[in-house]
Amino acid sequence: MVQLPRLVKCEQHGTQGIGLVCRHILSAEVPDGFFWSDDSDQARPDAWCNDCEEKLLKDEFSEGWYEQAGFQAICALCWDAAKVRAEAAGTAE
């Protein structure tokens, strides 16, 4: 398993703790869904979109699902902002 850094240097927020999000959330102006795990050893839990959730429910968690989702580390405040955008659009779960 890859060991992730606990902190990231964000251009907007400076040095922050991290959260992981799927590549779809990262690339979307307004995330299409925002699901997150209950378990995390980072500043924020892993989060993923509707498409990744559908695949997760169909295939269950696996390394393949995780790799296909393309999780990337972002700062905790950027994670919070993505969640707020999804909630405002009515797509957060």
Side-chain angles (χ1 to χ4, degrees), residues 44-64:
R44 298 294 183 274
D46 298 356
W48 55 90
C49 68
N50 282 334
D51 288 342
C52 291
E53 175 71 1
E54 288 177 18
K55 291 175 185 162
L56 179 62
L57 293 174
K58 180 182 172 194
D59 300 330
E60 297 184 0
F61 180 82
S62 68
E63 286 297 320

Side-chain angles (χ1 to χ4, degrees), residues 26-84:
L26 193 60
S27 65
E29 190 168 315
V30 176
D32 182 22
F34 198 90
F35 298 84
W36 60 92
S37 65
D38 295 333
D39 186 19
S40 179
D41 59 353
Q42 317 313 350
R44 298 294 183 274
D46 298 356
W48 55 90
C49 68
N50 282 334
D51 288 342
C52 291
E53 175 71 1
E54 288 177 18
K55 291 175 185 162
L56 179 62
L57 293 174
K58 180 182 172 194
D59 300 330
E60 297 184 0
F61 180 82
S62 68
E63 286 297 320
W65 173 82
Y66 196 82
E67 289 174 12
Q68 192 173 40
F71 280 91
Q72 296 182 27
I74 62 171
C75 95
L77 297 177
C78 287
W79 189 102
D80 293 343
K83 183 175 181 280
V84 167

